[in-house]
Structure formats: C-alpha cells, structure tokens
Amino acid sequence: MSSEIIERDDGSLVLPSSADPAVAMYQAVGFRRFSVGLDVGRYTDPSALCIIKAESKPYFTGRGFEQKLTQPQYTIVYTETVKNLDYTDLVDMVVARLAKLKHLNLLCDASGMGGPVVSLFHQASVRCTGVTITAGSTITRDGSKVTCSKNLLLENLATQIENGSCIIAHDLPGRDQLLQEIAAFELTFTSAGNPVLQGGGKGHHSDTAIAAALALLGETHLSLRAMEVRKLQGFW
C-alpha cells in the first residue's frame, strides 16, 4: 500500500485509502500550514517578520491499517526586518508576503504602537490576531485579541527550540543572528521581585526573536484543535 502523503486543498495531510473503507476507518489526518509573527518596530527599532511552517504527518504503524500522526514540527523558514516604514507601507509589505502562502495565521504585536497596525490589517480584510505583551506569566484570549506575558512568550520559544520541536531552517539567511537574539535573553527581576525575561542589554535587538515567538505561540497555544470521537466495539 502506498504511503505517499496527499495534501488536500484545506492543508490537511492524509495517506491514500485506495477507496478501502477499512483504511478510511483508521485514517489519521495531519496538517501543513504556516504561522506568521510580526513585531512592530518602535521609534528607531526595526519591524520584524517571521514565518513558521507547521507540520504533523500521518504514517502507517505497521499494525494492519492503523495510522498515527507524527509530533508537530515547527520550522522557522523565513525572517525579515525593515526600518523606517510607516504603518500603511508595513501592512502592504506583509500582505505581499502572505499572498505567497496558503493556510496561514497572522499574529501581530498589539502592544503600544502595534494596535493601529492590527486595525490596518482588519481594514485590509486580513485575518490578524493582535497579541498584547504584558508582565506576569499568563495568557488570555477574547476573540481575535490575546493578552500574553513576555515570560510565557519567550519561554515557549526557548523550550520548543531546546526540545527540538521548533527548528531553524539550516539555510535560513540570518540564522546566526536569530540564534544570538534568542541566546541574549536573560532573566532579571522587577523591583517587586518578579522574574522577567529581557533582551541582552543595550545595543542588542530582539525584534526577530519576538516575531518568531509570536508565530510559534499561534501554533502551540492558539491554533484550532480537531477532536475526533470513535466508538469501540467488541469489548466487554
């Protein structure tokens, strides 16, 4: 039986069933999609865009028709930074990049100056989740608005890279710079004694790392999950 994976129009991944109902009964449905993060520059800081490809593939286990899915794999496949673009030009640039992708989610830093950018995406009929980055250690969601702590955002990125769930494409331009940004984050404490992750001091930019963390958050915490219910028979 062929194990060549078929990608459907909706981005789902399946193994061919050869019209055999026995195979269809055990079919596991995977996915291939993109998550896009945008960190909006403030003052002299650049804006940064990051695209992550997310995949979970079905495979035959070797036990009859049984299928399972691989653990989700997140790959950073594209990064870009730009300076001195007004909000309208920034949105136009991002929309042009998104036009080349299928099955995507866009997350934009909505903190401070990012709020108007999220509104511009909505005006352009581009679905965008605004993420307001705060202190603390929690994440909440209200429709297309999300509030997430900086600690959780960056710890999620560091953890997924450390355990291998998220990788950086080996041929990604700027790969070393992104790794340096991630490594430059350090744990400090507020006057109240609360731990907080900060960039590596003066002269160190963390824009691309923030964009990557936003894109990854879209997959690990905010993506839709499919639930399947089956009935067991022959057990007593």
Short mmCIF file of all heavy atoms in Angstrom, two decimals, residues 68-130:
data_model
loop_
_atom_site.label_atom_id
_atom_site.label_comp_id
_atom_site.label_asym_id
_atom_site.label_seq_id
_atom_site.Cartn_x
_atom_site.Cartn_y
_atom_site.Cartn_z
N LYS A 68 -1.02 6.71 12.66
CA LYS A 68 -0.80 7.69 13.71
C LYS A 68 -0.20 8.94 13.09
O LYS A 68 0.18 8.93 11.92
CB LYS A 68 0.12 7.13 14.81
CG LYS A 68 -0.54 6.10 15.70
CD LYS A 68 0.34 5.75 16.89
CE LYS A 68 -0.37 4.78 17.83
NZ LYS A 68 0.46 4.45 19.02
N LEU A 69 -0.11 10.00 13.90
CA LEU A 69 0.47 11.25 13.44
C LEU A 69 1.82 11.49 14.11
O LEU A 69 2.01 11.16 15.29
CB LEU A 69 -0.46 12.43 13.78
CG LEU A 69 -1.82 12.46 13.08
CD1 LEU A 69 -2.64 13.64 13.60
CD2 LEU A 69 -1.66 12.56 11.57
N THR A 70 2.75 12.06 13.36
CA THR A 70 4.00 12.48 13.97
C THR A 70 3.73 13.66 14.89
O THR A 70 2.74 14.37 14.76
CB THR A 70 5.01 12.92 12.89
OG1 THR A 70 4.46 14.04 12.15
CG2 THR A 70 5.30 11.79 11.92
N GLN A 71 4.63 13.86 15.85
CA GLN A 71 4.52 15.03 16.70
C GLN A 71 4.66 16.28 15.83
O GLN A 71 5.44 16.29 14.87
CB GLN A 71 5.61 15.02 17.76
CG GLN A 71 5.40 13.97 18.84
CD GLN A 71 4.15 14.23 19.66
OE1 GLN A 71 3.87 15.36 20.05
NE2 GLN A 71 3.38 13.18 19.91
N PRO A 72 3.93 17.35 16.13
CA PRO A 72 4.06 18.57 15.33
C PRO A 72 5.50 19.06 15.28
O PRO A 72 6.20 19.05 16.30
CB PRO A 72 3.16 19.57 16.07
CG PRO A 72 2.16 18.72 16.79
CD PRO A 72 2.92 17.48 17.20
N GLN A 73 5.92 19.45 14.09
CA GLN A 73 7.26 20.00 13.89
C GLN A 73 7.12 21.42 13.38
O GLN A 73 6.40 21.68 12.41
CB GLN A 73 8.05 19.17 12.88
CG GLN A 73 9.46 19.68 12.61
CD GLN A 73 10.39 19.49 13.81
OE1 GLN A 73 10.69 18.37 14.21
NE2 GLN A 73 10.82 20.61 14.41
N TYR A 74 7.79 22.34 14.04
CA TYR A 74 7.73 23.74 13.66
C TYR A 74 9.09 24.17 13.12
O TYR A 74 10.11 24.01 13.80
CB TYR A 74 7.35 24.61 14.88
CG TYR A 74 6.15 24.08 15.63
CD1 TYR A 74 6.28 23.64 16.95
CD2 TYR A 74 4.91 24.00 15.03
CE1 TYR A 74 5.19 23.15 17.65
CE2 TYR A 74 3.81 23.50 15.72
CZ TYR A 74 3.96 23.07 17.02
OH TYR A 74 2.88 22.57 17.71
N THR A 75 9.10 24.72 11.91
CA THR A 75 10.35 25.11 11.27
C THR A 75 10.30 26.59 10.91
O THR A 75 9.39 27.02 10.19
CB THR A 75 10.61 24.28 10.00
OG1 THR A 75 10.55 22.89 10.31
CG2 THR A 75 11.98 24.60 9.42
N ILE A 76 11.25 27.35 11.41
CA ILE A 76 11.36 28.77 11.04
C ILE A 76 11.97 28.84 9.65
O ILE A 76 13.14 28.50 9.46
CB ILE A 76 12.21 29.54 12.06
CG1 ILE A 76 11.56 29.47 13.45
CG2 ILE A 76 12.39 30.99 11.64
CD1 ILE A 76 12.38 30.08 14.57
N VAL A 77 11.17 29.28 8.67
CA VAL A 77 11.60 29.21 7.28
C VAL A 77 11.86 30.58 6.65
O VAL A 77 12.41 30.67 5.56
CB VAL A 77 10.56 28.46 6.42
CG1 VAL A 77 10.46 27.00 6.86
CG2 VAL A 77 9.18 29.14 6.49
N TYR A 78 11.46 31.66 7.35
CA TYR A 78 11.63 32.98 6.75
C TYR A 78 11.67 34.05 7.83
O TYR A 78 10.87 34.01 8.78
CB TYR A 78 10.48 33.28 5.79
CG TYR A 78 10.60 34.62 5.07
CD1 TYR A 78 11.35 34.73 3.91
CD2 TYR A 78 9.96 35.76 5.56
CE1 TYR A 78 11.47 35.96 3.25
CE2 TYR A 78 10.07 36.98 4.92
CZ TYR A 78 10.82 37.07 3.76
OH TYR A 78 10.94 38.29 3.11
N THR A 79 12.61 34.97 7.72
CA THR A 79 12.64 36.14 8.59
C THR A 79 13.00 37.37 7.75
O THR A 79 13.68 37.26 6.72
CB THR A 79 13.68 36.00 9.72
OG1 THR A 79 14.99 35.83 9.17
CG2 THR A 79 13.35 34.82 10.63
N GLU A 80 12.53 38.52 8.21
CA GLU A 80 12.83 39.76 7.51
C GLU A 80 12.68 40.91 8.49
O GLU A 80 11.76 40.92 9.32
CB GLU A 80 11.87 39.96 6.34
CG GLU A 80 12.12 41.21 5.52
CD GLU A 80 11.19 41.33 4.32
OE1 GLU A 80 10.33 40.44 4.14
OE2 GLU A 80 11.32 42.31 3.57
N THR A 81 13.59 41.87 8.41
CA THR A 81 13.48 43.08 9.21
C THR A 81 13.49 44.29 8.30
O THR A 81 14.19 44.30 7.28
CB THR A 81 14.63 43.20 10.23
OG1 THR A 81 15.89 43.17 9.54
CG2 THR A 81 14.59 42.06 11.24
N VAL A 82 12.72 45.30 8.67
CA VAL A 82 12.65 46.54 7.88
C VAL A 82 12.64 47.73 8.84
O VAL A 82 12.12 47.65 9.95
CB VAL A 82 11.39 46.58 6.98
CG1 VAL A 82 11.49 45.54 5.89
CG2 VAL A 82 10.13 46.38 7.80
N LYS A 83 13.22 48.84 8.39
CA LYS A 83 13.26 50.05 9.20
C LYS A 83 12.53 51.19 8.50
O LYS A 83 12.44 51.22 7.27
CB LYS A 83 14.71 50.47 9.46
CG LYS A 83 15.49 49.56 10.38
CD LYS A 83 16.88 50.13 10.62
CE LYS A 83 17.66 49.26 11.60
NZ LYS A 83 19.01 49.82 11.86
N ASN A 84 12.03 52.09 9.32
CA ASN A 84 11.50 53.38 8.84
C ASN A 84 10.36 53.24 7.84
O ASN A 84 10.22 54.05 6.92
CB ASN A 84 12.63 54.21 8.22
CG ASN A 84 13.77 54.45 9.19
OD1 ASN A 84 13.54 54.65 10.38
ND2 ASN A 84 14.99 54.43 8.68
N LEU A 85 9.53 52.20 8.00
CA LEU A 85 8.33 52.09 7.18
C LEU A 85 7.15 52.64 7.97
O LEU A 85 6.99 52.31 9.15
CB LEU A 85 8.05 50.63 6.81
CG LEU A 85 8.84 50.00 5.66
CD1 LEU A 85 8.34 48.58 5.42
CD2 LEU A 85 8.73 50.82 4.39
N ASP A 86 6.32 53.45 7.33
CA ASP A 86 5.11 53.85 8.05
C ASP A 86 4.16 52.66 8.10
O ASP A 86 4.36 51.66 7.41
CB ASP A 86 4.47 55.09 7.41
CG ASP A 86 3.95 54.86 6.00
OD1 ASP A 86 3.50 53.74 5.69
OD2 ASP A 86 4.00 55.80 5.19
N TYR A 87 3.13 52.77 8.93
CA TYR A 87 2.28 51.62 9.19
C TYR A 87 1.62 51.08 7.92
O TYR A 87 1.51 49.87 7.71
CB TYR A 87 1.21 51.98 10.22
CG TYR A 87 1.76 52.25 11.60
CD1 TYR A 87 1.02 52.96 12.54
CD2 TYR A 87 3.03 51.80 11.97
CE1 TYR A 87 1.51 53.21 13.81
CE2 TYR A 87 3.53 52.05 13.23
CZ TYR A 87 2.78 52.76 14.15
OH TYR A 87 3.27 53.00 15.39
N THR A 88 1.17 51.98 7.06
CA THR A 88 0.49 51.55 5.83
C THR A 88 1.44 50.75 4.93
O THR A 88 1.07 49.70 4.40
CB THR A 88 -0.05 52.75 5.05
OG1 THR A 88 -0.96 53.48 5.89
CG2 THR A 88 -0.80 52.30 3.81
N ASP A 89 2.68 51.24 4.78
CA ASP A 89 3.66 50.52 3.96
C ASP A 89 4.03 49.19 4.59
O ASP A 89 4.26 48.20 3.89
CB ASP A 89 4.91 51.38 3.77
CG ASP A 89 4.67 52.58 2.87
OD1 ASP A 89 3.69 52.53 2.10
OD2 ASP A 89 5.45 53.54 2.94
N LEU A 90 4.10 49.16 5.92
CA LEU A 90 4.43 47.91 6.61
C LEU A 90 3.35 46.86 6.36
O LEU A 90 3.65 45.71 6.05
CB LEU A 90 4.58 48.17 8.11
CG LEU A 90 4.84 46.93 8.99
CD1 LEU A 90 6.15 46.27 8.61
CD2 LEU A 90 4.84 47.34 10.47
N VAL A 91 2.09 47.26 6.48
CA VAL A 91 0.99 46.34 6.24
C VAL A 91 1.00 45.87 4.78
O VAL A 91 0.81 44.67 4.50
CB VAL A 91 -0.36 46.99 6.60
CG1 VAL A 91 -1.53 46.16 6.11
CG2 VAL A 91 -0.45 47.19 8.11
N ASP A 92 1.23 46.79 3.84
CA ASP A 92 1.30 46.41 2.43
C ASP A 92 2.41 45.38 2.19
O ASP A 92 2.24 44.43 1.42
CB ASP A 92 1.54 47.64 1.55
CG ASP A 92 0.32 48.55 1.48
OD1 ASP A 92 -0.78 48.08 1.82
OD2 ASP A 92 0.48 49.71 1.07
N MET A 93 3.56 45.58 2.83
CA MET A 93 4.67 44.65 2.67
C MET A 93 4.31 43.26 3.18
O MET A 93 4.55 42.24 2.53
CB MET A 93 5.90 45.17 3.42
CG MET A 93 7.15 44.30 3.25
SD MET A 93 8.26 44.39 4.66
CE MET A 93 7.44 43.29 5.84
N VAL A 94 3.70 43.21 4.37
CA VAL A 94 3.34 41.92 4.96
C VAL A 94 2.28 41.22 4.12
O VAL A 94 2.37 40.01 3.86
CB VAL A 94 2.85 42.11 6.41
CG1 VAL A 94 2.33 40.79 6.97
CG2 VAL A 94 3.97 42.65 7.28
N VAL A 95 1.28 41.96 3.65
CA VAL A 95 0.24 41.38 2.82
C VAL A 95 0.84 40.77 1.55
O VAL A 95 0.42 39.70 1.10
CB VAL A 95 -0.84 42.43 2.47
CG1 VAL A 95 -1.79 41.88 1.41
CG2 VAL A 95 -1.61 42.83 3.72
N ALA A 96 1.84 41.43 0.98
CA ALA A 96 2.51 40.90 -0.22
C ALA A 96 3.20 39.59 0.09
O ALA A 96 3.20 38.66 -0.74
CB ALA A 96 3.51 41.92 -0.76
N ARG A 97 3.80 39.48 1.28
CA ARG A 97 4.47 38.22 1.65
C ARG A 97 3.43 37.12 1.89
O ARG A 97 3.63 35.97 1.51
CB ARG A 97 5.30 38.42 2.92
CG ARG A 97 6.36 39.51 2.85
CD ARG A 97 7.45 39.23 1.85
NE ARG A 97 8.48 40.25 1.92
CZ ARG A 97 8.48 41.36 1.18
NH1 ARG A 97 7.49 41.59 0.33
NH2 ARG A 97 9.47 42.23 1.29
N LEU A 98 2.32 37.48 2.51
CA LEU A 98 1.29 36.49 2.83
C LEU A 98 0.62 35.94 1.58
O LEU A 98 0.12 34.81 1.58
CB LEU A 98 0.22 37.10 3.74
CG LEU A 98 0.68 37.63 5.11
CD1 LEU A 98 -0.52 38.09 5.92
CD2 LEU A 98 1.48 36.59 5.86
N ALA A 99 0.61 36.72 0.50
CA ALA A 99 -0.04 36.29 -0.73
C ALA A 99 0.61 35.04 -1.30
O ALA A 99 0.00 34.32 -2.11
CB ALA A 99 0.00 37.42 -1.76
N LYS A 100 1.83 34.74 -0.88
CA LYS A 100 2.55 33.57 -1.39
C LYS A 100 2.29 32.32 -0.56
O LYS A 100 2.81 31.25 -0.89
CB LYS A 100 4.05 33.87 -1.43
CG LYS A 100 4.42 35.08 -2.28
CD LYS A 100 5.91 35.36 -2.22
CE LYS A 100 6.27 36.59 -3.04
NZ LYS A 100 7.73 36.89 -2.98
N LEU A 101 1.52 32.45 0.51
CA LEU A 101 1.30 31.33 1.42
C LEU A 101 -0.14 30.85 1.37
O LEU A 101 -1.06 31.59 1.04
CB LEU A 101 1.63 31.74 2.85
CG LEU A 101 3.04 32.28 3.13
CD1 LEU A 101 3.15 32.71 4.58
CD2 LEU A 101 4.09 31.23 2.80
N LYS A 102 -0.32 29.58 1.74
CA LYS A 102 -1.66 29.01 1.92
C LYS A 102 -1.81 28.58 3.37
O LYS A 102 -0.85 28.21 4.03
CB LYS A 102 -1.86 27.79 1.01
CG LYS A 102 -1.76 28.06 -0.47
CD LYS A 102 -2.18 26.84 -1.28
CE LYS A 102 -1.30 25.63 -0.98
NZ LYS A 102 -1.70 24.46 -1.80
N HIS A 103 -3.04 28.62 3.87
CA HIS A 103 -3.36 28.08 5.18
C HIS A 103 -2.46 28.70 6.26
O HIS A 103 -1.60 28.06 6.83
CB HIS A 103 -3.20 26.56 5.19
CG HIS A 103 -3.69 25.89 3.95
ND1 HIS A 103 -4.98 26.04 3.49
CD2 HIS A 103 -3.06 25.10 3.04
CE1 HIS A 103 -5.13 25.35 2.36
NE2 HIS A 103 -3.99 24.79 2.06
N LEU A 104 -2.69 29.97 6.52
CA LEU A 104 -1.82 30.69 7.45
C LEU A 104 -2.62 31.38 8.54
O LEU A 104 -3.81 31.64 8.41
CB LEU A 104 -0.98 31.71 6.70
CG LEU A 104 -1.72 32.86 5.98
CD1 LEU A 104 -1.86 34.08 6.89
CD2 LEU A 104 -0.99 33.24 4.71
N ASN A 105 -1.90 31.67 9.63
CA ASN A 105 -2.41 32.50 10.72
C ASN A 105 -1.41 33.64 10.92
O ASN A 105 -0.20 33.41 10.89
CB ASN A 105 -2.55 31.70 12.02
CG ASN A 105 -3.64 30.64 11.92
OD1 ASN A 105 -4.74 30.93 11.49
ND2 ASN A 105 -3.32 29.42 12.33
N LEU A 106 -1.91 34.84 11.14
CA LEU A 106 -1.06 36.00 11.36
C LEU A 106 -1.26 36.52 12.78
O LEU A 106 -2.39 36.75 13.20
CB LEU A 106 -1.39 37.10 10.35
CG LEU A 106 -0.73 38.47 10.58
CD1 LEU A 106 0.79 38.37 10.48
CD2 LEU A 106 -1.27 39.49 9.58
N LEU A 107 -0.15 36.68 13.49
CA LEU A 107 -0.19 37.25 14.83
C LEU A 107 0.69 38.49 14.84
O LEU A 107 1.83 38.45 14.37
CB LEU A 107 0.31 36.26 15.88
CG LEU A 107 -0.60 35.06 16.14
CD1 LEU A 107 -0.21 33.90 15.22
CD2 LEU A 107 -0.50 34.61 17.60
N CYS A 108 0.15 39.58 15.38
CA CYS A 108 0.86 40.86 15.38
C CYS A 108 0.94 41.38 16.81
O CYS A 108 -0.05 41.34 17.55
CB CYS A 108 0.14 41.86 14.48
SG CYS A 108 0.86 43.52 14.45
N ASP A 109 2.10 41.88 17.17
CA ASP A 109 2.27 42.52 18.47
C ASP A 109 1.37 43.75 18.53
O ASP A 109 1.57 44.71 17.78
CB ASP A 109 3.73 42.90 18.66
CG ASP A 109 3.97 43.69 19.94
OD1 ASP A 109 3.07 43.71 20.80
OD2 ASP A 109 5.05 44.29 20.07
N ALA A 110 0.39 43.72 19.40
CA ALA A 110 -0.57 44.83 19.50
C ALA A 110 -0.25 45.77 20.64
O ALA A 110 -1.03 46.67 20.94
CB ALA A 110 -1.99 44.27 19.68
N SER A 111 0.90 45.59 21.27
CA SER A 111 1.28 46.47 22.38
C SER A 111 1.64 47.85 21.84
O SER A 111 2.32 47.97 20.82
CB SER A 111 2.49 45.88 23.12
OG SER A 111 2.28 44.53 23.48
N GLY A 112 1.21 48.89 22.53
CA GLY A 112 1.60 50.24 22.16
C GLY A 112 1.27 50.57 20.72
O GLY A 112 0.12 50.58 20.29
N MET A 113 2.32 50.82 19.92
CA MET A 113 2.16 51.23 18.53
C MET A 113 1.63 50.12 17.63
O MET A 113 1.28 50.37 16.49
CB MET A 113 3.49 51.74 17.99
CG MET A 113 4.03 52.95 18.72
SD MET A 113 5.61 53.50 18.04
CE MET A 113 5.96 54.89 19.11
N GLY A 114 1.61 48.88 18.12
CA GLY A 114 1.13 47.79 17.30
C GLY A 114 -0.37 47.78 17.11
O GLY A 114 -0.88 47.20 16.15
N GLY A 115 -1.10 48.43 18.03
CA GLY A 115 -2.56 48.45 17.94
C GLY A 115 -3.08 48.97 16.62
O GLY A 115 -3.92 48.33 15.97
N PRO A 116 -2.61 50.14 16.14
CA PRO A 116 -3.08 50.65 14.84
C PRO A 116 -2.74 49.74 13.67
O PRO A 116 -3.48 49.69 12.69
CB PRO A 116 -2.35 52.01 14.72
CG PRO A 116 -2.04 52.40 16.13
CD PRO A 116 -1.77 51.12 16.86
N VAL A 117 -1.64 49.01 13.78
CA VAL A 117 -1.26 48.10 12.69
C VAL A 117 -2.26 46.95 12.59
O VAL A 117 -2.66 46.55 11.50
CB VAL A 117 0.18 47.56 12.91
CG1 VAL A 117 0.54 46.54 11.83
CG2 VAL A 117 1.18 48.71 12.90
N VAL A 118 -2.68 46.42 13.73
CA VAL A 118 -3.69 45.36 13.73
C VAL A 118 -4.97 45.86 13.07
O VAL A 118 -5.59 45.16 12.26
CB VAL A 118 -3.98 44.88 15.17
CG1 VAL A 118 -5.14 43.89 15.19
CG2 VAL A 118 -2.74 44.24 15.77
N SER A 119 -5.36 47.09 13.38
CA SER A 119 -6.56 47.68 12.77
C SER A 119 -6.42 47.80 11.26
O SER A 119 -7.37 47.57 10.51
CB SER A 119 -6.84 49.06 13.38
OG SER A 119 -7.12 48.96 14.76
N LEU A 120 -5.21 48.15 10.80
CA LEU A 120 -4.98 48.27 9.35
C LEU A 120 -5.11 46.91 8.65
O LEU A 120 -5.62 46.83 7.53
CB LEU A 120 -3.60 48.88 9.09
CG LEU A 120 -3.46 50.37 9.37
CD1 LEU A 120 -2.02 50.81 9.21
CD2 LEU A 120 -4.36 51.19 8.43
N PHE A 121 -4.66 45.86 9.31
CA PHE A 121 -4.84 44.52 8.73
C PHE A 121 -6.33 44.18 8.61
O PHE A 121 -6.77 43.64 7.60
CB PHE A 121 -4.13 43.47 9.59
CG PHE A 121 -2.65 43.36 9.34
CD1 PHE A 121 -1.74 43.62 10.34
CD2 PHE A 121 -2.17 42.99 8.08
CE1 PHE A 121 -0.38 43.53 10.11
CE2 PHE A 121 -0.81 42.89 7.85
CZ PHE A 121 0.09 43.15 8.86
N HIS A 122 -7.08 44.50 9.63
CA HIS A 122 -8.52 44.23 9.59
C HIS A 122 -9.19 45.03 8.48
O HIS A 122 -10.07 44.52 7.77
CB HIS A 122 -9.16 44.55 10.95
CG HIS A 122 -8.73 43.61 12.03
ND1 HIS A 122 -8.90 43.90 13.38
CD2 HIS A 122 -8.13 42.40 11.99
CE1 HIS A 122 -8.43 42.89 14.10
NE2 HIS A 122 -7.96 41.98 13.28
N GLN A 123 -8.75 46.29 8.29
CA GLN A 123 -9.31 47.11 7.22
C GLN A 123 -8.96 46.54 5.84
O GLN A 123 -9.72 46.71 4.88
CB GLN A 123 -8.78 48.55 7.33
CG GLN A 123 -9.31 49.31 8.54
CD GLN A 123 -8.66 50.67 8.69
OE1 GLN A 123 -8.16 51.24 7.72
NE2 GLN A 123 -8.67 51.21 9.90
N ALA A 124 -7.82 45.85 5.77
CA ALA A 124 -7.40 45.23 4.50
C ALA A 124 -8.00 43.84 4.33
O ALA A 124 -7.62 43.10 3.42
CB ALA A 124 -5.88 45.15 4.44
N SER A 125 -8.94 43.47 5.24
CA SER A 125 -9.61 42.16 5.20
C SER A 125 -8.64 41.01 5.37
O SER A 125 -8.79 39.93 4.78
CB SER A 125 -10.40 41.99 3.88
OG SER A 125 -11.38 43.00 3.76
N VAL A 126 -7.59 41.24 6.17
CA VAL A 126 -6.62 40.20 6.50
C VAL A 126 -6.86 39.77 7.94
O VAL A 126 -6.83 40.59 8.86
CB VAL A 126 -5.17 40.71 6.34
CG1 VAL A 126 -4.18 39.66 6.82
CG2 VAL A 126 -4.90 41.09 4.89
N ARG A 127 -7.14 38.49 8.14
CA ARG A 127 -7.39 37.98 9.49
C ARG A 127 -6.11 38.07 10.31
O ARG A 127 -5.08 37.50 9.94
CB ARG A 127 -7.89 36.54 9.42
CG ARG A 127 -8.33 35.96 10.76
CD ARG A 127 -9.17 34.72 10.53
NE ARG A 127 -8.48 33.74 9.72
CZ ARG A 127 -7.72 32.76 10.22
NH1 ARG A 127 -7.56 32.66 11.52
NH2 ARG A 127 -7.15 31.90 9.41
N CYS A 128 -6.18 38.77 11.43
CA CYS A 128 -4.98 39.02 12.24
C CYS A 128 -5.35 38.94 13.71
O CYS A 128 -6.34 39.52 14.14
CB CYS A 128 -4.39 40.39 11.90
SG CYS A 128 -2.99 40.88 12.92
N THR A 129 -4.54 38.22 14.47
CA THR A 129 -4.72 38.15 15.91
C THR A 129 -3.75 39.12 16.56
O THR A 129 -2.53 39.01 16.39
CB THR A 129 -4.46 36.72 16.44
OG1 THR A 129 -5.38 35.82 15.84
CG2 THR A 129 -4.61 36.67 17.95
N GLY A 130 -4.28 40.09 17.28
CA GLY A 130 -3.44 41.05 17.99
C GLY A 130 -3.04 40.50 19.35
O GLY A 130 -3.89 40.06 20.12
#
